[in-house]
Amino acid sequence: MSHTETEIPTPKTNPTQEPEVLKAERSNLGMLRPDHNKSVIIDWLTTVDHKKIGIMYGAIALFFLLVGGLEALIIRTQLAVPENDLISAQRYNQLFTMHGTTMIFLAVMPLNAAFFNFLVPLQIGARDVAFPRINSLSLWTFVAGAIVINFGWLLQALEVMGLFEAKGATAGMTDLVPAGGWFGYAPLTSTDFSGAGTDFWIMGLQILGIASLSASMNFIVTIINMRAPGMKMMRLPVFTWMTLVTSLLIVFAFPAITVALGQLMFDRVWNTNFFNVAGGGQPILWQHLFWIFGHPEVYILVLPAMGMISEVLPTFSKKPLFGYSIVVFSGAVIGFLGFAVWSHHMFTTGLGKVATAAFSLLTMAIAVPTGVKIFNWVGTLWGGRVRFSAPMIFALGFVWMFMMGGFSGIMHAAAPADAQQQDSYFVIAHFHYVIMGGIFLALVSGIYYWMPKVFGKMWVGNLSTWVAVLVVVGLNVTFFPMHFLGLLGMPRRTHTYLEGFGWETYNMVCTIGAYVLAVGILLLLVDMVRCIRKGTPAGNDPWNARTLEWSTTSPPQAYNFAKTPVIPARDALWEHKYGPENRRITYEEDHGHGVHMPSQSWMPLIASIGFIPLGLGMSMMQAGVPFMGYVAIFGLVVVCVGLALWALEGPGGYHLHPEEG
Amino acid sequence: MSNTADHADSHSSLVVDNKKLLMWLFLGSDCMFFGTLISTHLIYRKLYPDSFEPTTLFSLELTSFSTFILLMSSFLMALAVSAMHKGQLKSFRRNTLGVIFFGLIFLGCQVYEFAHFVHEDLTLQTNTFGSTFYMMTGTHGVHVAIGIFWLICMYFYSHTGKMDAHESAVDVEVAGLYWHFVDIVWIVIFTAVYLVEFIPEI
Ligand code: HEM
Ligand SMILES: [Cu+2]
């Protein structure tokens, strides 16, 4: 290994000179692999490129952000005035359930996954993730789960038009969309109280779980095994660190909900007694199992956001992150403690004094590493040369808004206080501050920061200022009054309320805020489209950034790095640009070997598509739709055939020879 | 499998092979999975101590026998892995067949046990004991069945001549990790669900 070159090798982009034409090879099964395909659609459907997969995750997540947002607007419109009858109570239940489920599982988690996919291999100097085909499976399985969980809307529309009626085990039930809340408490989800909607919810979440688990395991292996030479763990960018912690949380937290959903399915399909009170089942068991998953889940949502902020703040303060190792360590502590606080969602169920006190203390304890991070971020700003570019504005918004959510969190960490706040709008205010004010702002900051890398285009104009104003004003106007509503006793999840409790004005204000917020989000999308359409070339490093992904081209070539970088320090690119001679990034000589690329494949797509009939068949069987058992079996067969062919076709692969300029 | 991918993942600090690490992570996740199933069973067992008397139904002889068989299958699995590492294809096949055979005996015992219990009126629906017991042991049985299927595939694959020494040794080792894990889970179930029921009341 000779590390001679110190110039960053950028591949020549010479449009006049066509690169050598690569031909697809045959797989071990004798079929032509879909490599180098002329059709753009086939290319994207079969891609194993983490960057394309990331872009698709992002696009689909943004679509579901709009769907979830639309659901929220309908909810807020219904609540704008007392005794409104815009929608029925049943439709209201469906809307808040699907709003929560969509936002958490179909918008925020996949948007995080989009960033994991695009950034992690670039940040660690890898060619791709460890298992490119599993990565493709994760994406398409996520799409399958999203379809299954939303399929109820179609069935419900048919029911409203009088074209469908539930028979079988849930005969006469008219709720065909999930309606038990995002945490689906037993026994509301039993066949006595809910129809096919719950079945779609169970199957959809199970399929999404498969997607999340496979993606997480893939990322852990990638981060541990695929780092470029010299990229020691304590040199990893913080975003990559938080990806690692988040993935570990998913690996260890999801099994609890997988089992719980399985038990619920058994209860519904085979009349078992897990949560069935008549047979001795205990609904409280569901709450425990759900929140053992559910609390880690909120950290699964927020840790990537914290990682993004830890990248943006140093770049725009022109300073290294204050206390890198402490930020990493507190992230890990949060992940660990996250498993020990689930019962703070159950203070009012009568856990007993000792348990309540213990969970109360642990919940307060988890605020400590969270607070430590906030101090680190403030410390990063302190004395820095702050540039108020768009990513920075949103990052600063995150620190402030997230803190507000943390404060109300601490408030109901005290069990006696929580007895007043539980199931009221106060809790809604809390988690919307952490999720919208926190995670969402961080994601927008990430979008503004990394879009130039993703598409190679720089933002035009300063629409971002308007987005920032509208979003921050909108979310405060929407969610701040909810604190008061909660303390005034307005319960969450009621489809309407009477006049005279003093809730009218607050509700009206919340609704107006929601529309402001919606305009802000639409403007964000407009800005993104403008950037892609009209943006000027961004260059490798438009922000004068610190981490490795900015050392390659924007957008990065399929192979990421023409030569494997050798990393001498943390903040590798920054040190390369401004550090001493011995901290330069060097590049491994490849001796004409070229870059090994993985082959594209149909198999992950085929296996994932099988999950759709499997999920839909299992769900609609209960509602007495004919032949659904066969449809489910067909789906299972497709999944198995896809996986078998996958194993047999072999990984393949070909070599690219990037020319250097 | 094919060795084209060899140098794909070459750079970096490879400590554990990618596939092995992936399997370890899966097993970590599966630990939580079985942990949840087993605790559900134990919680309900403790909650309703008198609703059902499993000792009247459990046959310690039969289950001890099947447990022993599963343990021995793990032993053969270890031999198969080591044979593959040494490139002894014949010995690998023999041992793998042994694992498959023992696994099938275990499954047979489980099927017999289930049929017997159902005959004695313990079904999924009877009470919480039935629900948790069948779901937990059934899930374990499915794991065993998947393992058997996997090994059968490997057995046939070894006849195609496409196995290459290094890569296939890793693949077999990964299957071995899975098999040993499924075995260990059974030891836990056997202890926590069967054996403790026979501790005489003091
Ligand atoms: C300072 C750290 C935090 C503390 C002490 C805390 C505490 C709590 C407590 C005690 C509850 C239960 C309230 C109740 O139902 O009565 C709660 C609910 C909730 N928290 Fe937090 N929290 C914190 C941070 C977060 C973060 C970072 C997120 C999300 C990323 C989050 C999301 C949620 C959600 C979604 C709920 C409501 C779940 C539901 O009932 O539907 N929290 N929090
Ligand atoms: Cu929580």
Side-chain angles (χ1 to χ4, degrees), chain A residues 28 124-127 129-131 134 213-214 216-218 220-221 224-229 231 248 250-256 258-260 262-263 266-267 270-275 279-283 285 289 292 339 564 588 593 596 647-648 650-653 655, chain B residues 1-41 43-44 47-48 123-136 139 149 157 162 167:
Chain A
N28 296 357
I124 63 175
R127 194 256 308 126
V129 293
F131 299 96
I134 295 185
L213 280 169
S214 56
S216 307
M217 294 177 190
N218 203 348
I220 297 172
V221 178
I224 292 181
N225 273 358
M226 307 290 285
R227 282 167 290 136
M231 182 59 94
L248 282 167
I250 291 180
V251 166
F252 292 109
F254 264 67
T258 307
V259 170
Q263 295 173 337
F266 268 55
D267 271 7
W270 291 292
N271 293 314
T272 49
N273 306 306
F274 292 102
F275 311 113
Q282 298 278 332
L285 175 69
L289 293 182
I292 286 172
F339 280 98
T564 307
E588 280 186 351
H593 183 281
H596 178 93
L648 291 175
H655 286 88
Chain B
M1 322 241 155
S2 143
N3 63 352
T4 26
D6 258 12
H7 39 269
D9 319 322
S10 60
H11 62 66
S12 98
S13 37
L14 279 169
V15 191
V16 187
D17 181 275
N18 280 358
K19 284 183 193 164
K20 263 196 259 177
L21 186 55
L22 187 77
M23 183 43 83
W24 277 112
L25 288 166
F26 172 78
L27 296 183
S29 198
D30 227 24
C31 254
M32 298 299 284
F33 186 80
F34 277 110
T36 312
L37 285 167
I38 296 172
S39 19
T40 304
H41 177 80
I43 287 167
Y44 276 133
L47 196 63
Y48 304 113
T123 65
L124 263 174
Q125 291 83 15
T126 314
N127 47 27
T128 52
F129 187 92
S131 302
T132 57
F133 175 82
Y134 284 118
M135 188 166 178
M136 170 183 55
T139 310
F149 179 70
Y157 197 72
K162 284 185 191 150
E167 196 67 8

Side-chain angles (χ1 to χ4, degrees), chain A residues 450-490:
Chain A
W450 278 294
M451 268 274 277
K453 176 57 60 183
V454 177
F455 294 105
K457 301 283 184 64
M458 205 52 194
W459 300 94
V460 273
N462 49 5
L463 206 55
S464 59
T465 317
W466 283 101
V467 178
V469 169
L470 287 170
V471 168
V472 173
V473 168
L475 81 91
N476 278 289
V477 173
T478 313
F479 300 117
F480 202 77
M482 290 188 186
H483 291 110
F484 300 121
L485 272 176
L487 295 176
L488 284 172
M490 179 161 168

Side-chain angles (χ1 to χ4, degrees), chain A residues 182-183 291 295 298-299 301-302 344-345 347 363 366-367 370 402 406 409-410 412-413 418 421-423 427 430-431 434-435 439 492-493:
Chain A
W182 83 281
F183 48 51
W291 288 116
H295 189 82
V298 306
Y299 288 103
L301 300 175
V302 82
H344 65 211
H345 296 273
F347 281 150
T363 303
I366 209 170
T370 316
F402 180 74
I410 295 287
H412 44 221
D418 186 61
Q421 294 157 0
Q422 151 77 191
D423 249 334
V427 176
H430 159 66
F431 67 73
V434 280
I435 293 178
I439 301 163
R492 68 193 279 199
R493 298 180 171 169

